[in-house]
Amino acid sequence: MTRYGLERLPGLPESVTICEVGPRDGLQNEPVPVDTGVKVEFIERLADAGHTVIEATSMVHPKWVPQLADAEQVLNRVDRRPGVRYPVLVPNMRGLERALGLGVTDIAVFASVTESFAKANLNRTVDESLEMFAPVIAKARESDVPVRGYLSMCWGDPWEGEVPADQVVRVATALISLGCTELSLGDTIGVATPGRVAALLRALTAAGVPIERIAVHFHDTYGQGLANTLVALQHGVTTVDTSAGGLGGCPYAKSATGNLATEDLIWQLDGLGVATGVDLAKLVEASVWMAEQLGRPSPSAVVRAFQSS
Ligand code: MG
């Protein structure tokens, strides 16, 4: 019998770091308040499954993101384990100071590459938002805290349509020069296709952005999340943002489908012999448990396949 073993395709890395965004990006738009205890248990279950980067919460004002109003309690209650990073989104200097006061050792800022989304989400122009982040990033770096810069709408924007690569390059190079240690390229409305992923990565590296600093954050709105990720890995990316069970969407995307599900990616990477350190069966258990808490099934194909087998 021919056994189709683990064939790593040309150009793929030996291992990939998953940045698990379920507890923050995944939950932030949940309309019904999720108990702090549920959030804490979710994070613990993700760490139990082997995740080493778990975006825990956000310091955004509760007026904007009521679901994450308990950021402080979540951070105080989570058993922050050695070897696991728990990045926290901070919107401004006050958010950074609160995060540092809570012993946070990894932060993220959330930028937009389009004027329309900067206006809608941050109520600022792109340049004004970069000016606002400059002292936040500088202060975090002074405290030796790594800063991830999210870039949203990297391939398309609901108001502006297709986003030109040079617009992304401009914001990416600005964030790197401000001190960001990592950039996460967000396909916020899920419109990217593999050729455009390759083109943007080439444009960024040609502009001097080191590929090691680039992470990708795909949404599965049009079913392209895995294909886009595979191409990014073949171009040298080794950090991928995904959400356990496919939790979360974008309030500006028409379809309910959102973040690429961590399970869907792990199934693919396990099959390709690319290590992630995450135990798929344990992760599925965590997502099934979370889906029960939220009262609706996970949209992840792999979670559903596990449940029906
Ligand atoms: Mg997302």
Side-chain angles (χ1 to χ4, degrees), residues 45-122:
R45 283 170 178 262
L46 294 169
D48 287 342
H51 274 298
T52 53
V53 186
I54 306 170
E55 194 177 55
T57 186
S58 163
M59 292 290 165
V60 174
H61 195 283
K63 187 167 92 179
W64 306 116
V65 186
Q67 183 63 258
L68 303 182
D70 59 355
E72 198 166 325
Q73 293 92 305
V74 169
L75 288 167
N76 281 331
R77 283 175 58 182
V78 164
D79 167 29
R80 284 179 257 173
R81 308 176 191 189
V84 181
R85 295 161 52 202
Y86 300 91
V88 170
L89 191 70
V90 305
N92 50 32
M93 191 57 92
R94 176 159 158 66
L96 174 67
E97 282 162 358
R98 280 179 64 212
L100 294 176
L102 291 162
V104 167
T105 55
D106 272 89
I107 66 151
V109 297
F110 196 86
S112 169
V113 302
T114 69
E115 294 296 342
S116 305
F117 191 60
K119 180 81 191 147
N121 197 52
L122 304 164

Side-chain angles (χ1 to χ4, degrees), residues 21 24-25 188 217-219 249 258-259:
V21 299
R24 196 280 301 174
D25 189 10
T188 317
H217 183 118
F218 292 120
H219 284 198
N259 293 308

Side-chain angles (χ1 to χ4, degrees), residues 42-294:
F42 187 37
I43 293 170
E44 303 292 7
R45 283 170 178 262
L46 294 169
D48 287 342
H51 274 298
T52 53
V53 186
I54 306 170
E55 194 177 55
T57 186
S58 163
M59 292 290 165
V60 174
H61 195 283
K63 187 167 92 179
W64 306 116
V65 186
Q67 183 63 258
L68 303 182
D70 59 355
E72 198 166 325
Q73 293 92 305
V74 169
L75 288 167
N76 281 331
R77 283 175 58 182
V78 164
D79 167 29
R80 284 179 257 173
R81 308 176 191 189
V84 181
R85 295 161 52 202
Y86 300 91
V88 170
L89 191 70
V90 305
N92 50 32
M93 191 57 92
R94 176 159 158 66
L96 174 67
E97 282 162 358
R98 280 179 64 212
L100 294 176
L102 291 162
V104 167
T105 55
D106 272 89
I107 66 151
V109 297
F110 196 86
S112 169
V113 302
T114 69
E115 294 296 342
S116 305
F117 191 60
K119 180 81 191 147
N121 197 52
L122 304 164
N123 199 26
R124 282 177 169 78
T125 66
V126 169
D127 284 337
E128 284 166 355
S129 67
L130 293 172
E131 271 167 41
M132 175 179 73
F133 292 136
V136 177
I137 299 168
K139 186 174 161 91
R141 299 300 297 128
E142 273 167 35
S143 315
D144 263 332
V145 166
V147 182
R148 148 178 272 232
Y150 278 106
L151 288 84
S152 44
M153 307 292 177
C154 287
W155 285 273
D157 172 294
W159 302 277
E160 299 180 20
E162 196 169 308
V163 173
D166 55 5
Q167 217 167 304
V168 185
V169 168
R170 183 175 86 85
V171 178
T173 49
L175 286 170
I176 290 281
S177 60
L178 290 175
C180 277
T181 47
E182 182 177 73
L183 302 177
S184 170
L185 308 178
D187 182 17
T188 317
I189 55 170
V191 293
T193 41
R196 295 191 58 218
V197 171
L200 180 56
L201 292 172
R202 280 197 302 267
L204 285 165
T205 48
V209 180
I211 195 76
E212 307 78 54
R213 300 265 199 108
I214 299 177
V216 287
H217 183 118
F218 292 120
H219 284 198
D220 217 17
T221 323
Y222 293 86
Q224 304 298 300
L226 282 178
N228 289 338
T229 306
L230 190 60
V231 164
L233 298 180
Q234 288 179 315
H235 281 75
V237 169
T238 57
T239 301
V240 182
D241 301 1
T242 54
S243 177
L247 275 179
C250 169
Y252 300 96
K254 289 189 196 96
S255 157
T257 43
N259 293 308
L260 176 61
T262 311
E263 288 87 348
D264 296 11
L265 179 61
I266 305 269
W267 176 268
Q268 185 185 71
L269 295 179
D270 280 355
L272 286 164
V274 175
T276 63
V278 179
D279 181 314
L280 181 56
K282 270 195 186 166
L283 181 62
V284 168
E285 252 176 62
S287 292
V288 169
W289 173 84
M290 193 63 209
E292 284 163 10
Q293 309 304 312
L294 297 174

